[in-house]
Amino acid sequence: MNSEAVYLFRHLLLREAAYQVQLPSHRARLHRIAFAVIEDLAGGPPPDLSARDAAYAYTVPPHPADPFAAELEEHARLCSDTARHRRYLARAAAHASRSFQNDLASRLWKRFAALVEGAERVAALRNAAAAARNAGRPADAERTFEEALQACS
């Protein structure tokens, strides 16, 4: 093993250990700071996606923050910011759909569907099913389409 790999491995371990000894409130503050910095560098907050936008993920106008949406969603979740968590989870799912990252898109749309109700839930499940189908997982797509149909009633 070369010295650079050893350094990187040890740095990762030390960083994780330092993170774990922080109090939960301090961790949340760190995530809020990271969120604010990343969002600011990425062009500010994007608009929320409506149920109609979520239904047609491929037509969602891109925003400069979209490539960072998955990371922003994670920071928002870890600092318990529910509104931003939902916003960036939907943006991350739409970005993954537009980028043909079908496995990731399916997982993200399912996570988003678990957070919303009504038309948004149906649209998110339909998008998850379509992404699963495009990823070559027809059985998963069928189960998710059936779940979307059940959410309609």
Side-chain angles (χ1 to χ4, degrees), residues 42-96:
D48 283 333
L49 297 180
S50 68
R52 184 184 182 289
D53 290 337
Y56 301 101
Y58 295 100
T59 64
V60 172
H63 185 274
D66 287 351
F68 309 101
E71 186 174 348
L72 286 164
E73 172 268 323
E74 182 69 8
H75 285 298
R77 183 183 66 79
L78 290 170
C79 69
S80 302
D81 188 333
T82 307
R84 287 181 174 164
H85 175 232
R86 284 184 46 196
R87 173 188 297 151
Y88 281 105
L89 183 54
R91 300 289 314 188
H95 178 70

Side-chain angles (χ1 to χ4, degrees), residues 10-142:
R10 288 180 181 164
H11 176 66
L12 177 67
L13 286 177
L14 286 173
R15 186 180 70 194
E16 183 62 24
Y19 177 78
Q20 292 301 325
V21 297
Q22 297 295 317
L23 294 172
S25 62
H26 291 155
R27 286 187 213 162
R29 187 172 63 78
L30 290 172
H31 287 290
R32 275 192 295 280
I33 292 168
F35 179 92
V37 168
I38 295 167
E39 186 180 57
D40 187 49
L41 290 173
D48 283 333
L49 297 180
S50 68
R52 184 184 182 289
D53 290 337
Y56 301 101
Y58 295 100
T59 64
V60 172
H63 185 274
D66 287 351
F68 309 101
E71 186 174 348
L72 286 164
E73 172 268 323
E74 182 69 8
H75 285 298
R77 183 183 66 79
L78 290 170
C79 69
S80 302
D81 188 333
T82 307
R84 287 181 174 164
H85 175 232
R86 284 184 46 196
R87 173 188 297 151
Y88 281 105
L89 183 54
R91 300 289 314 188
H95 178 70
S97 294
R98 284 193 314 268
S99 302
F100 305 104
Q101 299 173 16
N102 295 309
D103 285 323
L104 176 62
S106 181
R107 287 192 309 272
L108 292 172
W109 282 121
K110 283 180 183 179
R111 286 181 48 209
F112 182 69
L115 299 176
V116 294
E117 297 176 352
E120 280 184 300
R121 178 172 167 70
V122 172
L125 288 169
R126 187 199 63 79
N127 288 339
R133 181 197 62 220
N134 293 340
R137 297 192 333 261
D140 184 28
E142 183 178 0

